Amino acid sequence: MTDMTPASPTPAAKPKPRPRPQVMKLTEAAAQRIVELTKRADSEIVGLRVGIKNGGCAGQSYTVEYAHDIRPADEVVEDKGVKILVDPKAVLFLLGTEMDYKADKMQSQFIFNNPNQTGACGCGESVQLKAAKVDG
């Protein structure tokens, strides 16, 4: 005889979450500069907070400031022994960005090599950004 009891449906296995891409990468020069800044800070910091703000002749500009704490919504990037905290509102605009550091006789600054940048003003102080396209 066959068992006429209806088979209970087998629960579908949950798919494994895809690994999240690292929002930003650092060059050796940027990592070294962040280490220097961390040592020279007036108070204890956990890293640098990176974001974007509206303003400037091209519409937006990058922000870099000392981070004294890790906020719950921060995207934490650890690369080359240092920590970058990315403002959650900036993640889609910074996805795939490489942060570099350049110094010459006239100036020293962090440089953002951002694939989401669509334009910049003539003086280089502000940029135009589009949100990154995320598959899936």
Side-chain angles (χ1 to χ4, degrees), residues 22 24-28 30-32 34-35 76-84 97-99:
Q22 184 170 313
M24 294 178 62
K25 292 184 167 105
L26 302 172
T27 64
E28 286 295 334
Q32 183 178 358
I34 292 168
V35 168
V76 179
V77 174
E78 294 186 56
D79 192 14
K80 297 178 178 55
V82 297
K83 227 178 247 188
I84 298 291
T97 297
E98 178 188 65
M99 185 174 170

Side-chain angles (χ1 to χ4, degrees), residues 25-34 36-37 40 48 64 98-104 107-113:
K25 292 184 167 105
L26 302 172
T27 64
E28 286 295 334
Q32 183 178 358
R33 181 62 177 161
I34 292 168
E36 292 168 7
L37 290 172
R40 290 191 333 188
L48 292 185
V64 179
E98 178 188 65
M99 185 174 170
D100 195 5
Y101 178 75
K102 302 263 187 208
D104 61 29
Q107 65 181 352
S108 61
Q109 64 183 345
F110 286 107
I111 306 291
F112 294 87
N113 299 311

